[in-house]
Amino acid sequence: MAHRILIVDDAAFMRMMIKDILTKNGFEVVGEAQDGAQAIEKYNELTPDLVTMDITMPEMDGITSLKEIKKINPEAKIIMCSAMGQQAMVIDAIQAGAKDFIVKPFQGDRVIEAIQKALS
């Protein structure tokens, strides 16, 4: 059975890029969210195997959303997506329980490697 993934990014283009990489590699994208608050709702509704979470978003950022999802499910597998130069935020995210991070612009093989590692 394909692993079920929730994609969270405020940019529709970025969600589309990740979705394309994932579906081509046999993953099932079960939902998308455009901010951290929506991510928590969708996580509860869809219970995905893994979440890709952008760090910088309006309304609620990815790190706050990560912490909230971890309260709901301490076993939640979340990979952070960040632009270059966000090292401090990436460290915060890892300390808050993120499994890994991928850097934009996305390299397909790096995305798949991070997801497979987080799911194993």
Side-chain angles (χ1 to χ4, degrees):
M1 201 176 95
H3 285 290
R4 304 168 69 252
I5 301 184
L6 171 64
I7 299 171
V8 185
D9 199 303
D10 57 323
F13 176 71
M14 286 296 174
R15 294 196 307 270
M16 191 180 72
M17 279 179 61
I18 296 179
K19 186 175 188 172
D20 188 52
I21 293 167
L22 296 177
T23 50
K24 282 181 180 161
N25 285 276
F27 294 96
E28 181 190 355
V29 175
V30 291
E32 297 180 24
Q34 56 192 10
D35 64 52
Q38 202 178 53
I40 297 164
E41 273 174 44
K42 295 268 188 186
Y43 185 86
N44 280 327
E45 179 192 327
L46 303 166
T47 60
D49 298 314
L50 184 133
V51 180
T52 65
M53 178 87 68
D54 186 22
I55 290 181
T56 313
M57 295 180 288
E59 304 299 319
M60 181 188 286
D61 67 44
I63 295 173
T64 306
S65 183
L66 161 75
K67 289 175 181 170
E68 291 301 313
I69 290 172
K70 283 293 201 175
K71 282 182 199 166
I72 297 162
N73 177 7
E75 302 300 305
K77 293 176 170 67
I78 302 171
I79 293 176
M80 305 309 285
C81 305
S82 73
M84 285 301 231
Q86 291 184 320
Q87 281 82 355
M89 287 188 210
V90 167
I91 291 165
D92 285 350
I94 299 291
Q95 287 171 339
K99 291 282 182 202
D100 203 344
F101 68 95
I102 46 181
V103 177
K104 298 174 183 178
F106 302 120
Q107 306 291 314
D109 51 354
R110 174 67 188 111
V111 172
I112 297 306
E113 176 194 316
I115 288 174
Q116 286 172 336
K117 192 174 94 180
L119 288 168
S120 61

